[in-house]
Amino acid sequence: FAYGQLGEIHRRKGDHDEAIDHYQKALDIRLEAHGRDHPEVATIYHNIGAALLGKGQFHRAIEYHEEALAIWLETIDPNDPRIAAAYHGTGVAYDRKAEFGKAIANYEAALAIWLKTLPPQHPDLATAYNNLGAAQDGMGQHEEAIASHKKALSIRLSILSSTHPEVAASYSNLGSAYVGTNDFGQALVQHKKA
C-alpha cells in the first residue's frame, strides 16, 4: 500500500520515473500476494500507465492501461468507474499518438460508463467530452467535435467560474472545431470568449 501511495505522490509531482519505481515495487508485492487477476493489481497497472503517459511513453502507457482494463473486466462490475478510467487513459495515449479513431472508441467507452455512474455535472464528464471533441476534430469530424465541446463547456460553466482556464480551453477548442467547418464567424466568437 505504501509503495502505491508514494508512487501516486511522485506521479502528481511530475516525478514519473520515481513514481514508476514505487509502483513497480507495489506491483511485485501485489502479484506475489494475489496473482495477476486481482483488482488491486489492475489499479497498479493503471497507475503505471498514467505515469508512462506523463513521460510521453504512449505505447507503453496503452499496454499498461489495457492490462488494467483486461483484469478489471474479469474481476469487477462492468460499470465500475475504474473501468471507465482505464478506457479514458487508453484514449488519451492513443490521442497523443494521433490515432484518433482508437482514441474516440476509448473515450466513448469511458463516457458510456461514466454517464451511468457519475452525476451529470461531474468534471470527469467534461474532461471526457473535451478529449472526445479534440479527437473528433483530429479525425475531421468537426460537427461531432462541436457537439462534444458544447457538452464539455456546458458542464464546466455549471461547476466553474466563467474565467476558469478550463472554461477558456473549452471555448478555444470549440472555436477550433468551428474553423474545421469553415464557420469562421463562430470560430472568432468562441476564441474571443476564450
Side-chain angles (χ1 to χ4, degrees):
F1 181 77
Y3 285 122
Q5 294 298 319
L6 288 169
E8 187 65 15
I9 291 166
H10 284 288
R11 185 181 66 80
R12 288 180 185 231
K13 286 176 46 182
D15 299 334
H16 301 295
D17 289 324
E18 192 70 24
I20 291 168
D21 288 343
H22 288 292
Y23 286 142
Q24 188 60 54
K25 289 174 185 173
L27 180 60
D28 293 342
I29 293 167
R30 294 288 190 231
L31 284 169
E32 187 174 320
H34 302 297
R36 176 198 172 269
D37 296 326
H38 194 279
E40 291 178 14
V41 171
T43 298
I44 298 167
Y45 279 122
H46 177 72
N47 291 343
I48 292 172
L52 289 166
L53 189 62
K55 285 184 65 165
Q57 294 183 8
F58 307 126
H59 181 74
R60 288 187 62 211
I62 290 166
E63 290 174 359
Y64 277 87
H65 282 300
E66 288 181 344
E67 183 68 16
L69 183 59
I71 296 167
W72 278 330
L73 286 171
E74 295 172 5
T75 59
I76 62 176
D77 183 298
N79 289 317
D80 190 293
R82 291 174 287 183
I83 292 175
Y87 279 125
H88 191 263
T90 305
V92 170
Y94 277 122
D95 206 344
R96 298 296 194 287
K97 291 178 63 176
E99 293 185 35
F100 300 120
K102 291 179 180 178
I104 289 168
N106 278 279
Y107 292 144
E108 288 175 341
L111 275 165
I113 295 169
W114 278 335
L115 286 168
K116 294 178 201 170
T117 59
L118 295 176
Q121 304 304 319
H122 196 281
D124 287 350
L125 289 173
T127 300
Y129 279 123
N130 179 74
N131 292 347
L132 175 61
Q136 290 166 325
D137 209 27
M139 284 282 289
Q141 299 171 353
H142 305 297
E143 294 295 337
E144 293 88 344
I146 289 167
S148 295
H149 286 307
K150 283 182 176 180
K151 289 176 183 176
L153 178 61
S154 175
I155 294 169
R156 287 176 170 168
L157 284 171
S158 74
I159 59 176
L160 302 170
S161 75
S162 62
T163 58
H164 193 279
E166 288 184 17
V167 171
S170 284
Y171 280 123
S172 180
N173 292 338
L174 190 53
S176 295
Y178 276 116
V179 167
T181 65
N182 294 323
D183 187 343
F184 301 113
Q186 263 307 315
L188 187 59
V189 167
Q190 302 306 321
H191 282 299
K192 283 183 177 180
K193 289 181 181 178

